[in-house]
Each structure stands twice: as C-alpha cells, then as structure tokens.
Amino acid sequence: MKVAVGGPLKVAFRPWVEGLENVPAEGAAILASNHLSFSDSFFLPAVLDRKVTFIAKAEYFTTPGVKGRLTAAFFKGVGQLPVDRSGARGAGEAAIKSGIEVLERGELFGIYPEGTRSPDGRLYRGKPGGLARVALATGAPVIPVAMIDTEKIQPPGKVVPKLMRPGIRIGKPLDFSRYQGMEHDRFVLRAVTDEVMYEIMKLSGQEYVDMYATAMKRQLAEAAKAEKEADKAARAALARAEKEQAEKEKAEKERAEKERAGQAGADEDGQTGEPRTEP
C-alpha cells in the first residue's frame, strides 16, 4: 500500500513535512493528530517509512458485495483496524484495546484526539478517554502531529480531490511517565489530553475551540435544520401572500368588469329606449 497508494500521493500532491526526525525508527509510539479531512489517514502514513495503524468504523469492513470486499481489503491494507461504534462506551473500550495491542507489538498507533473531523477547520477540545488511557497504559511516547490544509484538498462530502500541497508538522515526543498507573484518574486524563492538544495547536496554528467537535457538529446541524425550516416557512408565507394578492386582484378585476358591463348596459338602454312622452 505504501507503493500503490503512498507513492502516487507523494508524486501528485508533493506534501511537505517538518519534524520527521521526531518519529522513532523503531519501537512503540502514538501519533496524535488534528483531523481536517478523510485524507489525513493517507497522507501521514505516506510520508513515513514505518506502518501507522489507525482505527476505523466497522462498517468499512462489513459492507456486503464486491465493493464492500474491496473496501475492506483496502482499509486493511492501509493499516486500519475495525471498531464497532454501535455503543459509545463499547466503541471506546474497543479502540483503547486495539491501540494497546498495536503498541505492545512495538508499532506506531495513530489517533485523532478530537474524535471526529473538524467541521470548520478549527481545533477542538480533545476527548480524554482514548489517547490518554492508551498512553498511560502502555507508557508509549505521544508525538503531536499537525495536518496542514488537507481540508482544502478534500472537504467533507467532496469525492474528487483538489491538487495542492498539504503540509505535515511533527512535534517532539511527549513523555507522560510521571502519570504511570493513573489512567483511571479523570483529572489526569484531562491534563494529558489538554497538553497534547496544546502542542498540536502550536504546530498547526489553528484557532482553538474549547468544546467537542461532535457538539459543534450537532449545533451546526440544528442551526442548518432551523434555517431550512425558517426558509420553508418564509417561502410558504410568501406563497400565501402571493395567492391572497392574486385573489384580491382577480376579485377587483371581476368587480371592475361587472361595473363596466353595467355601465355599458345603462348606456345602451339610454341610446335605444323609447322617447319619453310628456303628459
């Protein structure tokens, strides 16, 4: 896959990279990245010599048919692990277990602390469950990564990518051994996650938003729905007003026609009637 996918990506898009020396040549490490585009999971592994394993929703691996089998083969080939997201807690535990298994094999584990793609290019609050728990359970260093401009190449919903140069900045490894054995302390998990997100913010230059990206997506979806409903209501009100105006104009036209018809009848009677006889 590094030859079939990574090679053409590097030739076509020519991504620039800073900080490659911060990724160890061997041994376990966690690559914690911002998440701007679906293509992030392809550009980052493409510029590294080592394999990077990410987690992906199980639907990519279980879709039936020829297309489903090809999709499953592709995602396995690029190092994606299936995680069932049908239950929030179950999905989180499965992701943590998968990450620990990858790191125990001495490999690189890639994770997006925001939990989902940024809806607007800004950096959102990291979720403390996955990243911090995996880091503290394994003792693996956390390497902050900033993807640059990948959202401009393939925005959500776009199939055909735009040819332009994305960037990747890789920061120095962060050591959280001081918190070893404290992976169930929610305050420690929050502190670890916030420290990683701060380093990603410095690398990416993104504006930081102290809320979860999933919450922002809900707000945007609700706002879009409200706007759509308001637009629908406005269109309906306009249609009613236009209908009422048309009916009013029609009634006025009919009344005017009746008046003209009555006047014409009166004029005709006056012209053709018998002359009045004086007594």
Side-chain angles (χ1 to χ4, degrees):
M1 282 295 174
K2 282 192 176 292
V3 174
V5 178
L9 275 181
K10 288 191 287 186
V11 171
F13 294 94
R14 300 180 298 114
W16 55 266
V17 189
E18 296 176 359
L20 272 177
E21 68 278 4
N22 293 322
V23 180
E26 58 182 19
I30 301 170
L31 297 175
S33 173
N34 60 339
H35 198 12
L36 298 173
S37 169
F38 174 78
S39 60
D40 294 337
S41 298
F42 300 98
F43 281 112
L44 179 56
V47 301
L48 301 177
D49 294 330
R50 298 182 61 186
K51 175 184 177 181
V52 183
T53 300
F54 290 89
I55 55 176
K57 59 184 180 181
E59 290 83 347
Y60 287 143
F61 300 83
T62 58
T63 303
V66 175
K67 182 179 179 181
R69 289 195 294 272
L70 290 174
T71 301
F74 176 78
F75 278 96
K76 288 177 182 176
V78 296
Q80 304 282 310
L81 289 177
V83 172
D84 185 359
R85 305 194 304 179
S86 57
R89 183 172 180 80
E93 293 299 326
I96 291 168
K97 182 181 178 182
S98 297
I100 291 174
E101 290 174 352
V102 170
L103 294 168
E104 286 178 343
R105 296 196 299 266
E107 301 175 2
L108 297 178
F109 178 61
I111 190 169
Y112 301 112
E114 292 169 280
T116 186
R117 282 176 286 181
S118 171
D120 53 15
R122 296 185 293 177
L123 184 67
Y124 285 82
R125 194 180 194 198
K127 293 189 173 183
L131 166 65
R133 283 182 60 185
V134 171
L136 298 183
T138 61
V142 179
I143 301 173
V145 177
M147 306 302 294
I148 311 293
D149 290 336
T150 53
E151 81 282 9
K152 298 176 183 177
I153 292 176
Q154 192 174 24
K158 297 293 183 181
V159 177
V160 180
K162 177 182 178 182
L163 284 177
M164 60 176 293
R165 293 190 72 186
I168 303 172
R169 289 196 183 101
I170 304 173
K172 295 184 180 299
L174 303 175
D175 179 17
F176 295 106
S177 59
R178 62 190 183 277
Y179 296 125
Q180 201 72 34
M182 303 174 69
E183 61 267 23
H184 297 295
D185 187 320
R186 62 188 181 93
F187 296 105
V188 170
L189 296 179
R190 183 77 264 164
V192 170
T193 305
D194 287 346
E195 184 173 338
V196 174
M197 297 309 296
Y198 179 71
E199 293 299 322
I200 294 175
M201 181 186 70
K202 290 198 299 182
L203 290 169
S204 68
Q206 291 171 278
E207 177 187 347
Y208 180 75
V209 183
D210 193 21
M211 69 181 296
Y212 293 126
T214 49
M216 176 56 76
K217 284 185 175 181
R218 283 195 299 271
Q219 286 187 11
L220 293 174
E222 290 170 358
K225 182 180 178 181
E227 183 178 357
K228 185 177 180 180
E229 291 176 350
D231 182 65
K232 183 179 179 180
R235 288 176 181 274
L238 179 60
R240 287 196 300 271
E242 290 176 345
K243 182 179 179 181
E244 292 173 357
Q245 180 64 26
E247 290 176 348
K248 181 179 179 181
E249 291 176 355
K250 181 180 179 181
E252 290 177 352
K253 182 179 180 180
E254 290 176 348
R255 184 168 56 252
E257 289 177 350
K258 287 180 180 180
E259 289 177 354
R260 285 198 298 271
Q263 183 63 42
D267 292 344
E268 185 177 347
D269 289 342
Q271 294 174 1
T272 61
E274 292 295 331
R276 297 178 61 186
T277 303
E278 294 294 336

